[in-house]
Each structure stands twice: as C-alpha cells, then as structure tokens.
C-alpha cells in the first residue's frame, strides 16, 4: 500500500506569520501538533516536519511535542549541518530526510547534490544510523545521484517530484519527467533503497504518478493544508488517500 506522510510545516507557517515574536503566547495558533494528530486520525501514515535553520515555520518546541504525542513515524527534514544533526540525535525521529536548504528559497527547490557532498553525507548518515535513526536523501530523479545515495549508505531516498508537478500540464515534458522518475525508482529499488517521493503533489497529479514503480510513501503538504481551508483537514487527507488507493506497487 502506498503510504501518505503529511507535511505540517504549512500549518506552522501560518502560526509564525502572526506569532513569530511571541512563540510562548498561549493563544498562538494554528498548532501544527494538533494538525498532526488530526492528520493521523484521518488516516495519515506518518508526519513530516522540516526544521529550518531560520525556524521560519517549525520551531524546536514543536519537534519535542510531535515526538511525544504522535503515534505514526516522524519524518524529520533537515539540512546536513552540525546544529540540525545534533537536534535530530536528541529528538530521535523514526527517519531523517536530509534536504538542501537555502535561506532565500520559499520551499525546498532542488534535490541534494549527493555526489558533491558525499563524504559529509556519509558521515552524517553513519552518525544518525548509530543513534538508531534511519536516513533518507531528498534527491532529483537522476541516476548518478541514486548511485551516490547508495554509496552514502542511506536507507531511503525521496524523489523530488517538483519538476513533474511543474510540467504536469505540458504532456511531452511531463512524460520526460515521468520517465526520469520511473528509471530512478527502478534503480533505487534494485539497489535496496526504500523509494519515497514528494513535492508539488496534488489530487490532480498523483493518479498519473501511479506509473512510477516501487513507491513506498508520498510526502505531501501544501495542497492538503490549502484544501483544508475549504473542506477541513480530515476531508483533504481522505481525498488524497482515495486517489492513492489506485497505486499498485
Ligand atoms: N518533501 C520534501 C523534502 C519537502 O521539502 C517538501 C516541502 O516542504 C515536501 C516533500 C512537500 O512538498 P509540498 O508542500 O509541495 O507538498
């Protein structure tokens, strides 16, 4: 069964828009932890949160609360920098997804350059694994990056579906992106990696993504929180789970 990891960063973004300077104010809302609990009740198989170095959405306190309260696996997205690795080791999520991070970006814009940072990613993966934490690498669907991810010793990859989503309405370009995703998923699976995917996915583009083999989990945030404004989070998640049911691994 294809699993759904719900990314709750976007709930925290809304809270920080009002309460960034008064994080301990009792009435700060909306609470991303409450959203995570609701997502679990709605059928989410996991919760994803990204602690950015600039703390623009998720803050340290959220992580601890998430760790203490959710019952599905926590997927913690982090940049490969010492401060974040220490936080991950203290928090002990089920899995860490290492992502590239640039302060000026609105959201994670590209995949990790695993080949370019192989030595550091290998060290970090080993440290996290030694602490009992699995490691995933957020990468573009590129065979050279998959090979590098294997050498690094990661347990999983998350294929960046942003280009697929961006080109969805142009069939030829969409098919090129789909082919890249299909080949990458095959190569990663053959190398023993768990294959996840995410970024820019919606109920409109997920059904076409079903042609990509070996997918274990989709990580989805923006569209679910956007849709929740109109139909509520439970309904938004159930709509997504419904379209994911058609996936045949
Ligand atoms: N996966 C990763 C690694 C991400 O950084 C993000 C964006 O926060 C997502 C998945 C979810 O992307 P979206 O919000 O577009 O669904």
């Amino acid at each position: 069964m294809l699993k759904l990891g719900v990314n709750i960063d976007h709930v925290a973004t809304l809270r920080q828009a009002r309460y960034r300077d008064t994080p301990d104010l009792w009435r700060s809302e909306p609470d991303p932890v409450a959203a995570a609990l609701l997502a679990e009740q709605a059928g989410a198989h996991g919760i994803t949160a990204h602690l950015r170095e600039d703390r623009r959405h998720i803050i340290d306190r959220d992580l601890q609360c998430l760790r203490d309260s959710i019952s599905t696996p926590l997927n913690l997205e982090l940049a490969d920098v010492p401060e974040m690795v220490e936080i991950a080791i203290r928090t002990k999520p089920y899995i860490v997804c290492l992502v590239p991070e640039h302060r000026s970006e609105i959201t994670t814009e590209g995949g990790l350059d695993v080949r370019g940072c192989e030595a550091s990613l290998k060290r970090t993966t080993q440290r996290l694994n030694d602490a009992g934490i699995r490691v995933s690498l957020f990468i573009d669907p590129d065979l050279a990056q998959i090979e590098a991810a294997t050498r690094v010793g990661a347990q999983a990859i998350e294929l960046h579906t942003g280009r697929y989503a961006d080109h969805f309405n142009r069939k030829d370009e969409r098919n090129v992106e789909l082919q890249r995703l299909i080949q990458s998923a095959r190569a990663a699976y053959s190398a023993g990696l768990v294959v996840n995917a995410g970024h820019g996915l919606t109920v409109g583009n997920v059904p076409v993504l079903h042609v990509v083999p070996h997918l274990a989990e989709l990580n989805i945030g923006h569209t679910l929180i956007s849709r929740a404004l109109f139909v509520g989070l439970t309904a938004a998640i159930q709509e997504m789970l419904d379209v994911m049911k058609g996936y045949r691994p």
Side-chain angles (χ1 to χ4, degrees), residues 30-189:
D31 178 9
V33 181
L37 295 173
L38 196 56
E40 287 184 323
Q41 278 173 25
H45 304 99
I47 300 298
T48 298
H50 183 173
L51 186 70
R52 282 184 168 265
E53 287 184 86
D54 63 7
R55 310 299 199 271
R56 72 168 77 153
H57 38 58
I58 295 293
I59 55 176
D60 300 58
R61 187 195 59 190
D62 297 330
L63 276 192
Q64 208 49 56
C65 292
L66 281 171
R67 183 69 182 80
D68 293 343
S69 57
I70 65 171
S71 47
T72 58
L74 174 62
N75 170 25
L76 178 55
E77 293 177 359
L78 297 171
D80 178 20
V81 295
E83 182 201 6
M84 292 297 150
V85 176
E86 292 310 321
I87 291 173
I89 288 172
R90 278 202 306 274
T91 310
K92 294 215 182 307
Y94 172 72
I95 190 164
V96 160
C97 182
L98 295 170
V99 299
E101 201 174 294
H102 309 289
R103 285 194 177 223
S104 57
E105 69 190 0
I106 291 173
T107 180
T108 320
E109 273 167 8
L112 271 176
D113 178 12
V114 186
R115 289 175 70 192
C117 313
E118 213 171 303
S120 165
L121 289 169
K122 196 169 182 172
R123 270 195 307 275
T124 300
T125 299
Q126 188 64 57
R127 277 204 72 201
L128 291 168
N129 284 173
D130 288 347
I133 304 165
R134 299 162 63 78
V135 173
S136 173
L137 304 175
F138 185 52
I139 54 179
D140 290 325
D142 175 314
L143 293 179
Q145 296 295 347
I146 311 270
E147 282 165 22
T150 315
R151 290 195 297 272
V152 159
Q155 285 70 50
I157 54 158
E158 181 175 327
L159 291 173
H160 194 319
T161 47
R163 279 182 64 84
Y164 161 72
D166 289 348
H167 294 97
F168 188 73
N169 285 333
R170 292 189 292 272
K171 203 167 171 200
D172 290 348
E173 292 166 47
R174 169 173 94 193
N175 285 339
V176 170
E177 295 307 321
L178 273 175
Q179 285 310 317
R180 294 177 67 206
L181 288 163
I182 290 169
Q183 283 175 8
S184 301
R186 282 201 186 119
Y189 182 80

Side-chain angles (χ1 to χ4, degrees), residues 7 9-10 77 99 107-108 138 158 199-200 219-222:
N7 183 315
D9 296 349
H10 310 274
E77 293 177 359
V99 299
T107 180
T108 320
F138 185 52
E158 181 175 327
H199 214 284
N219 281 309
I220 305 184
H222 186 89

